[in-house]
């Protein structure tokens, strides 16, 4: 069964450092999502791509976070500088079609667990 | 007010018990509804979609009440393997094709022998 790949699985960094996370969606999935999940809360959408274009980044803290999907396949999420409050799990998801009235299943990767010291 | 609200639990039940979770959502224009399951330190996985007419998948039954803006999940004959966090999820009204998922904080279920 095809899966969403993410790396690294765990990352420990000090505040003010830069971190980057990578995601490879299921082959053929045009839509890619980055979510952040703080302990005890549900995932929250940070950014959504359709192919290489950003279609929603309204919840992305753009002063420190950036995301790209240059060739419309894999994607990188970066934080610079990291802050203590960024400690969370960062989840990537992908889906096949956009524009199907919200019925398209999103498949999640295993996540990257970030700890900022 | 959060867009999707759930009782965090935990719900501690014995094997074989029937347990029900409720969830309320604030946006009356929400379009699609789901239950996701998340095991400890794992990613969320789709458990089932929720339809207005109600739907069943084995031991799991989901109901949607649009007038009251709540969604329920019923688990019958609980198994140890059902222990997990159950996330209630809605999507806003279809607009420009954005398939955004809005998650509740989850309800934790612990099934014991």
């Amino acid at each position: 069964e095809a899966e969403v790949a993410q790396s690294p699985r765990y990352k420990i960094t000090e505040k003010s450092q830069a971190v980057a996370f990578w995601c490879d969606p299921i082959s053929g999935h045009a839509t890619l999502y980055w979510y952040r999940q703080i302990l005890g809360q549900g995932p929250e959408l940070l950014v959504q791509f359709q192919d290489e274009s950003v279609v929603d980044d309204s919840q992305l803290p753009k002063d420190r976070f950036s995301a790209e999907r240059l060739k419309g396949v894999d994607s990188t999420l970066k934080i610079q500088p990291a802050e203590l409050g960024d400690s969370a799990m960062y989840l990537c998801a992908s889906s096949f079609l956009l524009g199907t009235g919200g019925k398209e299943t999103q498949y999640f990767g295993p996540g990257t667990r970030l700890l900022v010291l | 007010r959060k867009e999707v609200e759930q009782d965090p639990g935990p719900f501690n039940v014995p094997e074989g018990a029937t347990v029900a979770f409720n969830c309320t959502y604030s946006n009356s224009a929400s379009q699609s509804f789901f239950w996701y399951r998340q095991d400890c330190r794992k990613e969320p996985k789709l458990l089932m979609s929720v339809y207005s007419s109600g739907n069943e998948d084995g031991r799991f039954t989901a109901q949607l009440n649009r007038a009251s803006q709540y969604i329920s999940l019923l688990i019958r004959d609980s198994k140890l393997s059902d222990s997990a966090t159950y996330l209630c999820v809605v999507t806003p009204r279809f607009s420009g094709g954005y398939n955004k998922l809005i998650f509740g904080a989850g309800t934790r279920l612990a099934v014991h022998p």
Side-chain angles (χ1 to χ4, degrees):
Chain A
E1 181 176 298
E3 297 179 340
V4 176
Q6 289 189 248
S7 68
R9 295 292 304 277
Y10 304 92
K11 179 70 178 178
I12 300 175
T13 190
E14 294 183 344
K15 62 180 181 179
S16 80
Q17 296 298 303
V19 292
F21 313 132
W22 177 80
C23 171
D24 191 14
I26 293 172
S27 179
H29 280 194
T31 312
L32 184 148
Y33 313 79
W34 282 102
Y35 290 85
R36 176 172 61 185
Q37 186 174 22
I38 295 170
L39 191 64
Q41 299 182 21
E44 177 188 30
L45 181 69
L46 292 175
V47 61
Q48 176 182 347
F49 290 91
Q50 174 70 9
D51 298 312
E52 66 276 7
S53 300
V54 173
V55 296
D56 186 349
D57 64 356
S58 57
Q59 300 300 311
L60 188 71
K62 299 181 186 63
D63 57 335
R64 298 185 300 108
F65 286 64
S66 63
E68 60 183 17
R69 193 184 184 199
L70 294 177
K71 297 183 179 179
V73 181
D74 59 336
S75 176
T76 302
L77 177 70
K78 296 179 181 177
I79 309 175
Q80 183 174 17
E83 295 181 352
L84 297 178
D86 296 332
S87 295
M89 182 150 75
Y90 290 82
L91 292 158
C92 179
S94 69
S95 65
F96 182 51
L97 287 174
L98 193 68
T100 57
K103 293 292 187 182
E104 189 59 40
T105 299
Q106 293 185 25
Y107 297 89
F108 284 82
T112 295
R113 193 171 292 276
L114 173 67
L115 177 61
V116 182
L117 302 175
Chain B
R1 181 185 174 187
K2 293 181 181 178
E3 290 191 69
V4 180
E5 299 215 48
Q6 298 182 248
D7 180 344
F11 284 63
N12 294 298
V13 302
E15 278 186 286
T18 296
V19 62
F21 309 137
N22 291 327
C23 159
T24 58
Y25 59 95
S26 60
N27 186 348
S28 60
S30 295
Q31 181 174 3
S32 302
F33 309 89
F34 309 92
W35 284 100
Y36 274 70
R37 170 194 169 128
Q38 187 170 28
D39 292 306
C40 188
R41 298 182 180 276
K42 300 284 189 179
E43 72 274 22
K45 292 186 177 179
L46 179 65
L47 179 65
M48 60 196 302
S49 300
V50 187
Y51 303 113
S52 297
S53 55
N55 48 297
E56 189 174 304
D57 183 2
R59 298 181 294 109
F60 299 83
T61 300
Q63 297 275 356
L64 167 64
N65 185 320
R66 285 188 181 270
S68 301
Q69 294 179 212
Y70 86 80
I71 307 155
S72 65
L73 177 68
L74 182 77
I75 306 175
R76 292 181 301 278
D77 188 22
S78 298
K79 312 291 186 190
L80 294 175
S81 58
D82 293 335
S83 298
T85 296
Y86 291 83
L87 299 162
C88 177
V89 184
V90 306
T91 62
R93 175 174 290 280
F94 177 66
S95 173
Y98 301 165
N99 190 22
K100 179 176 180 176
L101 298 181
I102 300 173
F103 286 82
T107 298
R108 195 153 61 90
L109 172 65
V111 182
H112 57 82

